[in-house]
């Protein structure tokens, strides 16, 4: 059998093919593997923000109820294995190598066709489905899209239900110029007569989803319409028809996390109508409270408070800023920021200037990382300063922190993952 290092080389070598939306290669790969995706009980999640958090709430509820859970998420936090997990544990190096070896002839066969070689994401998606179907065999699989929905590699599954968490201004160069265009791509995960849970807020987005559900005869459960999230600062209530949960406490910070938790609760109740999953009220309450995920307003240290947040677009940074303003309104907040250069950096920086005392723009060794000097030129605010090397910026900020200060690192999951790997958080 090939080694884990050799397996990683095979997977990472596919990077040069980049992002290539479409399902033909994915379907061809899965056919060669005997269609492992057809043997899974799955839930499918798409959305600009909130996918990972909603998935984490679902995972925690299922775990509390005693079910085994497989998860396929993006991006990797510290290493490639953690995209594929069973009961919270990442796929082992041995299983990763074994499955990669199974995929070698499939990859070679595709290279010789007009479909061309599969991308890294397609290889990992096929690996995840094969792992869940033949090795881990979980009771339920939670699958997160990588990009968009309609043409995303994960959109070959036939889920029990689907969730669209939110629509925002991200990847618009690939998904479309307007919110309606982006929504049409995300709504591509809606399948015939398959329930859909939506947390979208824009009227244009909601209309697109309603029209798609009518076309597919899919039952729609829209947050704010079919079910409600009544927020009361530290707690919230969930309401659906005659059902009501009061004094719920989300395991993650922010009003947006209460909404993500509500999407998960709605999904669980829909699922119980479809399949015989025994999940009671205590499982839901405990799961929602215990749910935690890395890089989502994650407090990793106290005195001073250090927070990692993967806000990687305008809507994500706005949610972070609102949470900081509410939770740490009387504290000095310092931000270390690096986004990808294709983002609307000015729109991301603007809300942070309302809550932060100082924002340090930096960079790290990654071809898509922003140039901090160009970012400053786009938005030359008095609270902004530039320190080009991330490690120097980090050390300088830490040296000057007082015990009651709040230090926030944000802008991109790739940036956070780079820092975590080097700082061993």
């Amino acid at each position: 059998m090939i080694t884990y290092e050799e397996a990683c080389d095979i997977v990472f070598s596919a990077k040069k093919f980049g992002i290539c939306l479409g399902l033909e290669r994915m379907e061809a790969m899965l056919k060669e593997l005997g269609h492992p995706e057809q043997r899974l009980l799955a839930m499918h999640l798409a959305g600009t923000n909130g996918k990972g958090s909603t998935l984490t709430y679902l995972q925690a509820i299922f775990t509390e109820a005693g079910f085994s859970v497989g998860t396929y998420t993006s991006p990797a936090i510290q290493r490639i294995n953690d995209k594929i997990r069973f009961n919270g544990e990442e796929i082992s190096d041995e299983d990763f190598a074994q499955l990669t070896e199974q995929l070698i002839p499939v990859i070679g066969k595709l290279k010789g066709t007009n479909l061309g070689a599969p991308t890294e994401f397609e290889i990992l998606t096929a690996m995840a489905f094969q792992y869940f179907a033949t090795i881990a065999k979980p009771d339920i699989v939670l699958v997160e899209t990588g990009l968009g929905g309609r043409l995303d590699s994960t959109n070959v599954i036939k889920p029990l239900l689907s969730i669209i968490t939110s629509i925002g201004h991200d990847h618009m160069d690939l998904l479309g110029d307007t919110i309606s265009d982006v929504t049409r791509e995300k709504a591509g995960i809606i399948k015939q007569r398959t329930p859909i849970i939506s947390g979208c807020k824009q009227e244009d987005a909601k209309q697109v989803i309603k029209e798609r559900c009518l076309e597919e005869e899919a039952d729609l459960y829209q947050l704010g319409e079919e079910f409600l999230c009544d927020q009361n600062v530290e707690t919230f209530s969930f309401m659906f028809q005659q059902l009501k949960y009061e004094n719920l406490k989300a395991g993650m910070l922010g009003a947006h996390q209460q909404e993500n938790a509500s999407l998960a609760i709605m999904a669980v109740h829909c699922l119980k109508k479809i399949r015989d999953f025994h999940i009671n009220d205590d499982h839901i309450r405990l799961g929602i409270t215990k749910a935690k995920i890395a890089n989502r307003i994650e407090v990793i240290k106290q005195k001073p408070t250090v927070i990692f947040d993967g806000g990687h677009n305008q809507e994500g940074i706005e949610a972070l800023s609102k949470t900081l303003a509410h939770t740490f309104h009387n504290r000095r907040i310092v931000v270390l920021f690096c986004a990808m250069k294709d983002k609307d950096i000015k729109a991301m920086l603007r809300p942070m200037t309302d809550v932060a005392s100082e924002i340090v723009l930096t960079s790290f060794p990654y071809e898509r990382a922003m140039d901090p000097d160009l970012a400053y030129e786009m938005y030359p605010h008095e609270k902004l300063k530039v320190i080009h090397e991330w490690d120097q910026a980090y050390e300088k900020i830490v040296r000057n922190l007082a015990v009651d200060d709040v230090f926030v690192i944000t802008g991109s999951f790739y940036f956070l993952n780079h820092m975590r790997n080097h700082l061993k958080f």
Side-chain angles (χ1 to χ4, degrees), residues 93-234:
D93 292 353
E94 293 76 16
D95 287 338
F96 189 96
Q98 176 189 331
L99 292 166
T100 302
E101 190 166 55
Q102 289 179 25
L103 285 166
I104 290 173
V106 178
I107 294 168
K109 187 172 182 179
L110 275 178
K111 281 183 179 177
T113 71
N114 59 2
L115 293 174
T119 66
E120 176 190 318
F121 188 72
E122 288 169 336
I123 293 170
L124 289 169
T125 303
M127 182 189 298
F129 294 157
Q130 185 76 341
Y131 173 67
F132 296 138
T134 64
I135 298 175
K137 300 180 180 179
D139 297 317
I140 188 76
V141 180
L142 308 176
V143 179
E144 185 182 319
T145 59
L147 177 65
R150 182 175 65 92
L151 298 176
D152 186 78
S153 300
T154 63
N155 202 28
V156 292
I157 61 173
K158 292 181 171 54
L160 298 172
L161 60 84
S162 301
I163 303 171
I164 300 176
T165 56
S166 68
I167 301 295
H169 300 80
D170 206 2
H171 300 300
M172 299 185 85
D173 55 325
L174 295 170
L175 302 180
D177 296 329
T178 68
I179 289 295
S180 293
D181 291 338
V182 174
T183 307
R184 287 188 187 93
E185 292 299 319
K186 306 283 187 187
I189 71 166
I190 298 173
K191 305 294 194 303
Q192 191 167 37
R193 296 188 179 90
T194 302
I196 179 79
I197 319 297
S198 168
C200 301
K201 294 182 177 180
Q202 304 96 325
E203 290 303 321
D204 288 352
K206 289 195 286 187
Q207 186 59 36
V208 169
I209 290 172
K210 286 177 182 178
E211 290 171 0
R212 174 74 177 176
C213 285
L214 284 173
E215 292 171 5
E216 298 296 334
E217 300 178 52
D219 290 335
L220 171 62
Y221 300 87
Q222 173 65 53
L223 176 63
E225 296 180 19
E226 280 74 23
F227 66 104
L228 303 175
C229 173
D230 185 14
Q231 298 172 324
N232 185 24
V233 190
E234 300 299 330

Side-chain angles (χ1 to χ4, degrees), residues 128-379:
F129 294 157
Q130 185 76 341
Y131 173 67
F132 296 138
T134 64
I135 298 175
K137 300 180 180 179
D139 297 317
I140 188 76
V141 180
L142 308 176
V143 179
E144 185 182 319
T145 59
L147 177 65
R150 182 175 65 92
L151 298 176
D152 186 78
S153 300
T154 63
N155 202 28
V156 292
I157 61 173
K158 292 181 171 54
L160 298 172
L161 60 84
S162 301
I163 303 171
I164 300 176
T165 56
S166 68
I167 301 295
H169 300 80
D170 206 2
H171 300 300
M172 299 185 85
D173 55 325
L174 295 170
L175 302 180
D177 296 329
T178 68
I179 289 295
S180 293
D181 291 338
V182 174
T183 307
R184 287 188 187 93
E185 292 299 319
K186 306 283 187 187
I189 71 166
I190 298 173
K191 305 294 194 303
Q192 191 167 37
R193 296 188 179 90
T194 302
I196 179 79
I197 319 297
S198 168
C200 301
K201 294 182 177 180
Q202 304 96 325
E203 290 303 321
D204 288 352
K206 289 195 286 187
Q207 186 59 36
V208 169
I209 290 172
K210 286 177 182 178
E211 290 171 0
R212 174 74 177 176
C213 285
L214 284 173
E215 292 171 5
E216 298 296 334
E217 300 178 52
D219 290 335
L220 171 62
Y221 300 87
Q222 173 65 53
L223 176 63
E225 296 180 19
E226 280 74 23
F227 66 104
L228 303 175
C229 173
D230 185 14
Q231 298 172 324
N232 185 24
V233 190
E234 300 299 330
T235 63
F236 69 103
S237 298
F238 170 89
M239 289 161 282
F240 170 64
Q241 296 177 351
Q242 304 306 311
L243 178 68
K244 185 172 184 179
Y245 293 114
E246 294 182 301
N247 296 317
L248 292 166
K249 187 170 179 58
M252 292 177 267
L253 289 173
H256 60 295
Q257 291 294 359
Q258 296 176 348
E259 294 174 348
N260 291 333
S262 295
L263 296 177
I265 296 171
M266 188 70 252
V268 167
H269 281 282
C270 284
L271 183 66
K272 288 166 69 176
K273 295 179 181 178
I274 302 167
R275 290 277 176 165
D276 191 23
F277 279 85
H278 296 287
I279 301 173
N280 62 35
D281 293 355
D282 286 341
H283 298 146
I284 291 172
R285 285 186 176 276
L286 286 171
I288 292 299
T289 301
K290 291 181 179 181
K292 305 285 184 186
I293 185 171
N295 296 340
R296 273 71 166 188
I297 315 186
E298 178 190 10
V299 179
I300 63 170
K301 186 177 179 294
Q302 297 282 12
K303 296 183 179 181
T305 302
V306 180
I307 294 173
F308 274 46
D309 184 71
H312 58 287
N313 51 45
Q314 178 182 341
E315 289 79 8
I317 292 293
E318 286 173 351
L320 168 63
S321 299
K322 288 177 183 176
T323 303
L324 293 173
H326 167 73
T327 310
F328 307 105
H329 63 277
N330 58 347
R331 309 262 293 273
R332 178 175 175 267
I333 298 172
V334 181
V335 175
L336 180 60
F337 178 87
C338 182
M340 298 296 98
K341 60 187 176 185
D342 58 340
K343 303 293 183 176
D344 188 344
I345 293 171
K346 183 176 180 179
M348 294 175 70
L349 290 171
R350 190 180 294 114
M352 285 196 296
T353 58
D354 293 332
V355 296
S357 302
E358 180 181 332
I359 301 170
V360 178
L361 307 178
T362 193
S363 192
F364 71 108
Y366 187 55
E367 60 184 10
R368 288 181 57 207
M370 73 178 200
D371 180 331
D373 291 318
L374 290 177
Y376 184 81
E377 287 178 19
M378 291 179 199
Y379 194 57

